[in-house]
């Protein structure tokens, strides 16, 4: 006897603000969404402490608490939230085709539409002291956490556009920003480099890397090393921002969905449509530019609307075929 494969109308992969917002809209449109949460239910926000910039929370909200709110809101309209990791997909190329997804390397499900909200993962240096102090002063998002270091001294690692942008953002809030660039030049655009070098309270250090983050419970300082001279220096800081890039979580879609050179999913125009019919992408997995909870939530809403319109077009085509046959 073979087990019947479950058929889902709207499969949502990933449970950050994009996934849950897509679920709220899809559930309210009677698309009976099923979310597979992934390894980190709630997504990147569960590793943040306070979220102060999501509209609607005048006193801020704890990241994990906000994700529970979003989950409950999605469940209120009938979303099925399942703990599980989608480990493989077989996406159909045909309009109206059925997509397949494998959960936890074990169970296959079928889906009429798929919304991919698998997010992106911030890269870290990998030092034990850095990992220990994540959430205790080490952050990968200056826009999210910079405010907590108002008038304090902080450091930022990286020499790309993100690091340059975040360094100037932090310089507006903090007393001093020490910027560590590992090479002898920055990768950021000339305009961004100019902004950094013309900001008085950014202390730019080339050929400099983190040797050790200091502090037991919270960041108290940073030992830096000049990778040319080997010279070490310790500075007092309360916050360390890592801005060395993100990695979109798109491994399982390689060879099936169009991606840019960095692995971000490509969506068509202002929509969330991927190159395959019935497959949509929302949140950080398709956005290397803004990467905010609110922008992710916005594209989650768009993905559900795009999926709903897609299904109604397919249903109309099928009805037409039945009448003409
Ligand atoms: P990038 O990959 O462009 O830059 C990463 C930076 O981190 C580089 O300076 C790199 O150094 C450094 N780095 C990497 N690993 C380490 C490490 N282990 N230790 C120390 N330093 C390290 O990432 P971004 O996030 O900056 O940008 C991603 C993309 O998004 C880019 O295309 C960028 O242009 C774009 N973007 C555009 C913005 C805008 O236009 N406003 C804003 C933000 C991003 P090295 O150079 O030596 O490799």
């Amino acid at each position: 006897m073979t087990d019947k494969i479950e058929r889902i109308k709207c499969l949502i992969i990933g449970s950050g603000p994009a996934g849950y917002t897509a679920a709220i809209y899809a559930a309210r449109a009677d698309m009976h969404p099923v979310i597979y949460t992934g390894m980190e239910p709630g997504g990147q926000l569960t590793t943040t402490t306070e979220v102060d910039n999501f509209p609607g929370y005048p006193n801020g909200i704890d990241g994990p608490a906000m994700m529970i709110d979003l989950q409950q809101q999605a469940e209120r309209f009938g979303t099925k939230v399942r703990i599980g990791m989608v480990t493989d997909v077989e996406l159909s190329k045909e309009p109206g085709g059925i997509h397949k997804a494998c959960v936890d390397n074990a169970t296959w499900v079928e889906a009429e539409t798929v919304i991919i909200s698998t997010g992106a993962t911030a890269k870290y240096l990998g030092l034990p002291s850095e990992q220990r102090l994540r959430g205790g002063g080490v952050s990968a998002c200056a826009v999210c956490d910079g405010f907590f270091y108002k008038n304090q001294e902080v450091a930022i690692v990286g020499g790309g556009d993100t690091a340059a942008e975040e360094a100037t953002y932090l310089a507006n809030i903090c007393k001093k920003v020490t910027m560590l660039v590992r090479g002898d030049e920055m990768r950021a655009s000339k305009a961004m480099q100019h902004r950094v070098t013309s900001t008085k309270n950014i202390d730019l250090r080339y050929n400099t890397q983190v040797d050790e983050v200091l502090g037991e419970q919270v960041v108290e300082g940073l030992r830096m090393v000049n990778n040319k001279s080997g010279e070490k220096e310790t500075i007092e800081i309360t916050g360390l921002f890592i801005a060395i890039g993100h990695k979109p979580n798109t491994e399982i879609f390689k060879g099936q969905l169009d991606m840019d050179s960095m692995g971000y999913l490509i969506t068509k125009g202002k929509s969330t449509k991927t190159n395959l019919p019935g497959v949509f992408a929302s949140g950080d997995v398709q956005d290397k530019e803004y990467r905010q909870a609110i922008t992710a939530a916005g594209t989650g809403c768009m993905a559900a609307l795009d999926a709903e319109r897609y299904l109604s077009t397919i249903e109309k085509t099928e009805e037409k075929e039945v009448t003409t046959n």
Side-chain angles (χ1 to χ4, degrees):
M1 195 183 85
T2 49
D3 286 339
K4 200 168 176 296
I5 294 184
E6 181 185 13
R7 171 78 60 91
I8 296 165
K9 205 165 185 175
C10 180
L11 169 68
I12 301 173
I13 312 176
S15 57
Y20 280 134
T21 307
I24 293 166
Y25 275 76
R28 286 169 59 84
D30 277 343
M31 289 161 71
H32 313 291
V34 173
I35 286 198
Y36 281 99
T37 59
M39 293 263 274
E40 195 175 68
Q44 293 178 73
L45 277 187
T46 52
T47 58
T48 316
T49 40
E50 191 91 351
V51 179
D52 265 346
N53 54 7
F54 199 94
Y57 294 102
N59 302 314
I61 180 155
D62 201 49
M66 185 172 118
M67 295 321 298
I68 291 170
D69 281 354
L70 280 173
Q71 177 178 341
Q72 287 175 348
Q73 194 174 352
E75 285 174 331
R76 188 177 136 215
F77 300 109
T79 302
K80 287 189 180 131
V81 179
R82 298 180 185 162
I83 309 278
M85 183 85 184
V86 172
T87 45
D88 197 1
V89 289
E90 284 175 16
L91 302 173
S92 167
K93 294 186 176 77
E94 303 302 321
I98 297 302
H99 309 288
K100 292 182 183 158
C102 181
V103 182
D104 295 331
N105 287 312
T107 315
W108 284 88
V109 293
E110 293 183 342
E112 290 169 44
T113 60
V114 179
I115 296 178
I116 300 167
S117 315
T118 47
T121 308
K123 292 184 196 160
Y124 282 87
L125 302 168
L127 294 171
S129 56
E130 168 208 53
Q131 292 303 309
R132 192 183 67 239
L133 290 162
R134 275 175 65 176
V138 173
S139 162
C141 181
V143 180
C144 320
D145 299 329
F147 187 75
F148 303 116
Y149 304 94
K150 201 173 174 178
N151 297 326
Q152 299 174 35
E153 298 198 7
V154 298
I156 185 161
V157 184
D161 280 320
T162 302
E165 199 168 78
E166 296 198 343
T168 46
Y169 177 86
L170 289 167
N172 270 328
I173 305 168
C174 305
K175 197 152 89 185
K176 183 180 170 190
V177 181
T178 303
M179 182 168 180
L180 284 68
V181 177
R182 69 176 172 184
D184 47 20
E185 58 181 31
M186 284 166 78
R187 187 196 288 239
S189 65
K190 289 283 174 254
M192 289 305 296
Q193 290 191 35
H194 180 70
R195 277 180 65 187
V196 168
T197 50
S198 57
T199 304
K200 282 205 179 76
N201 59 340
I202 297 180
D203 179 8
L204 181 58
R205 307 288 191 100
Y206 288 109
N207 301 117
T208 305
Q209 285 173 262
V210 175
D211 190 48
E212 189 83 54
V213 192
L214 307 173
E216 280 306 315
Q217 306 295 325
V218 291
V219 172
E220 291 166 8
L222 183 70
R223 193 164 68 231
M224 310 183 286
V225 57
N226 183 303
N227 56 28
K228 280 208 160 151
S229 65
E231 207 174 301
K232 292 187 181 177
E233 184 185 339
T234 300
I235 55 170
E236 281 184 18
I237 53 162
T238 48
L240 175 66
F241 293 87
I242 310 294
I244 60 170
H246 285 73
K247 192 178 177 298
N249 301 318
T250 53
E251 210 55 46
I252 56 170
F253 307 110
K254 276 196 178 136
Q256 300 189 58
L257 292 178
D258 289 348
M259 299 176 190
D260 68 12
S261 60
M262 294 166 72
Y264 285 89
L265 295 182
I266 295 174
T267 49
K268 290 184 184 165
K270 288 183 178 170
S271 79
T272 62
K273 293 174 193 167
T274 67
N275 55 305
L276 295 183
V279 182
F280 308 89
S282 62
D284 288 11
V285 74
Q286 51 85 59
D287 169 27
K288 58 174 179 264
E289 191 75 34
Y290 300 104
R291 291 198 292 252
Q292 299 302 300
I294 187 68
T295 49
T299 55
C301 157
M302 288 161 61
L305 295 178
D306 284 341
E308 187 190 353
R309 284 176 196 150
Y310 164 82
L311 279 179
S312 66
T313 315
I314 294 295
E315 277 158 19
K316 273 187 200 138
T317 319
E318 283 171 357
E319 273 166 26
K320 225 171 165 182
E321 279 170 6
V322 171
T323 3
T324 45
N325 282 340

